[in-house]
């Protein structure tokens, strides 16, 4: 029946959702105390409720009743390791002494991602500065390359490489990633790279870069006096306004689509960029982690102004 097909699709989306890469989920888990009797089942229950509230309101946690063991396959780390990494913030040196070297590799990946976000923000400042047009053009090219590299790194970390470079292998890999924001932003980064500069296309990337860099610093620099004096307060403000930021990103993405569509009647039209942006908008409307915000915007909801 159709309902069973829909349930299976949503269960698959839940299973493939990158909880380990979600800063909002990690922040939520830090405030959750799980029972000692059956922590894996309790963690799955918390995940399903959080997923329904923040990702897919149509998801029904009751669907997991007969598939609880399968959901645990999405993470190879035991529950104790997930709880430790999401609760009290460890010092960077603690991860280096963990068994099997897994935390060290995890930290290295997080460090590479954080450095890319820092480079992206620096290049964005150089691009936006109005004093030297030559520097601005140079920075834009490097910025779009860094954006594409950052999204490619995230996709590789979460899904690995395709099983080959045949058409069937590429289609199978794309079917796994096409509903994720990392895939969508990779397409937008490529669109920015191959087209003339379009500043508003960069805004969602910069918002996410700020959040990702701030999250990394909160995890690994929380004991530094400078972070405790200034950074922690800024990070908590970002956490409190996370939903507003995601809604703002959705508004800008939709605005970009309609703006590019309207400019088709002008000499400055960009038909290729318009087609690429609208293809991404279609994907995001049905994605597992962006659909709720895009549907809110299309339903008339707008992001409230940020308050200090």
């Amino acid at each position: 029946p159709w309902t069973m097909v829909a349930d299976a699709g949503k269960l698959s989306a839940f299973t493939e959702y990158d909880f380990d890469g979600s800063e909002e989920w990690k922040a939520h888990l830090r405030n959750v105390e799980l029972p000692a009797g059956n922590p894996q089942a309790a963690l799955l229950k918390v995940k399903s409720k959080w997923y329904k509230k923040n990702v897919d309101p149509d998801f029904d946690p009751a669907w997991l009743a007969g598939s609880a063991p399968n959901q645990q396959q999405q993470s190879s780390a035991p529950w104790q390791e997930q709880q430790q990494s999401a609760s009290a913030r460890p010092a960077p040196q603690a991860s280096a002494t963990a068994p099997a070297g897994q935390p060290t590799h995890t930290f290295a990946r997080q460090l590479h991602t954080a450095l890319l976000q820092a480079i992206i923000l620096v290049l964005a400042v150089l691009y936006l500065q109005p004093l030297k047009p030559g520097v601005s053009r140079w920075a834009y090219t490097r910025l779009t390359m860094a954006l594409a590299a950052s999204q490619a790194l995230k996709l590789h970390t979460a899904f690995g490489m395709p099983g080959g470079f045949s058409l069937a292998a590429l289609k199978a890999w794309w079917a796994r990633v096409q509903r994720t924001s990392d895939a969508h932003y990779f397409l937008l980064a490529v669109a920015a790279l191959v087209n003339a500069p379009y500043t508003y296309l960069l805004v969602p990337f910069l918002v996410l870069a700020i959040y990702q860099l701030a999250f990394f610093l909160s995890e690994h620099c929380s004991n530094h006096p400078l972070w405790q004096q200034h950074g922690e307060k800024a990070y908590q403000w970002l956490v409190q306004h996370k939903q507003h930021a995601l809604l703002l990103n959705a508004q800008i993405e939709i605005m970009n689509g309609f703006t590019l569509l309207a400019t088709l009647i002008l000499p400055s039209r960009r038909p290729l960029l318009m087609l690429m942006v609208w293809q991404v908008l279609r994907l995001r409307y049905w994605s597992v982690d962006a659909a709720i915000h895009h549907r809110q915007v299309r339903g008339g909801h707008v992001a409230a102004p940020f308050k200090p």
Side-chain angles (χ1 to χ4, degrees), residues 15 45 53 58 61 72 82 91 100 123 125 130 174 181 203 224-225 249 255 273 279 290-291 297 304 307:
T15 303
K45 184 177 181 180
K53 179 180 179 181
D58 296 327
Q72 299 303 323
Q82 294 183 26
L123 289 172
V125 172
W174 178 249
S181 284
V203 174
H224 196 283
N249 273 4
M255 179 198 72
L273 181 59
Q279 176 64 19
V297 171
K307 298 179 180 178

Side-chain angles (χ1 to χ4, degrees), residues 195-198 200 254-275 277-278:
N195 285 277
Y198 188 76
Y200 286 110
I254 293 172
M255 179 198 72
N256 287 338
F258 281 101
T259 301
L260 288 167
L261 185 63
T263 58
L264 287 179
I265 63 175
L266 302 176
S268 59
R269 56 185 173 270
R270 304 179 186 185
L272 176 61
L273 181 59
M274 185 274 295
L275 289 174
V277 168
W278 273 97

Side-chain angles (χ1 to χ4, degrees), residues 46-160:
V46 173
K47 279 185 174 182
S48 65
K49 290 184 176 180
W50 179 89
Y51 183 87
K52 177 178 177 64
K53 179 180 179 181
N54 295 277
V55 178
D56 184 359
D58 296 327
F59 181 79
D60 187 353
W63 295 338
L64 299 174
S67 58
N70 294 333
Q71 306 306 322
Q72 299 303 323
Q73 295 175 1
Q74 63 183 322
S75 176
S76 59
W79 170 82
Q80 291 84 354
E81 183 178 331
Q82 294 183 26
Q83 182 68 12
Q84 179 182 3
S85 65
S87 55
R89 293 168 178 164
Q93 63 269 23
S95 63
T97 61
Q102 179 63 29
T104 301
H105 295 130
T106 301
F107 173 75
R109 289 195 299 268
Q110 293 175 349
L111 179 61
H112 293 158
T113 302
L115 288 175
L116 268 175
Q117 307 316 307
I119 291 171
I120 285 169
L121 293 174
V122 171
L123 289 172
V125 172
L126 293 176
Y127 164 63
L128 294 172
Q129 59 82 27
L131 302 179
K132 295 186 176 182
V135 173
S136 181
R137 290 191 296 269
W138 176 90
Y140 184 84
T141 303
R142 274 70 182 176
L143 172 58
T144 53
M145 293 174 63
L147 292 174
S150 175
Q151 297 307 131
L153 176 62
K154 293 176 186 177
L155 285 173
H156 179 268
T157 299
F159 299 97

Side-chain angles (χ1 to χ4, degrees), residues 11 36 79 171 176 257:
L11 277 173
W79 170 82
K171 287 177 66 177
R176 293 172 53 210

Side-chain angles (χ1 to χ4, degrees), residues 10-21:
K10 291 182 178 294
L11 277 173
S12 177
F14 173 81
T15 303
E16 296 176 1
Y17 184 76
D18 184 16
F19 285 94
D20 293 336

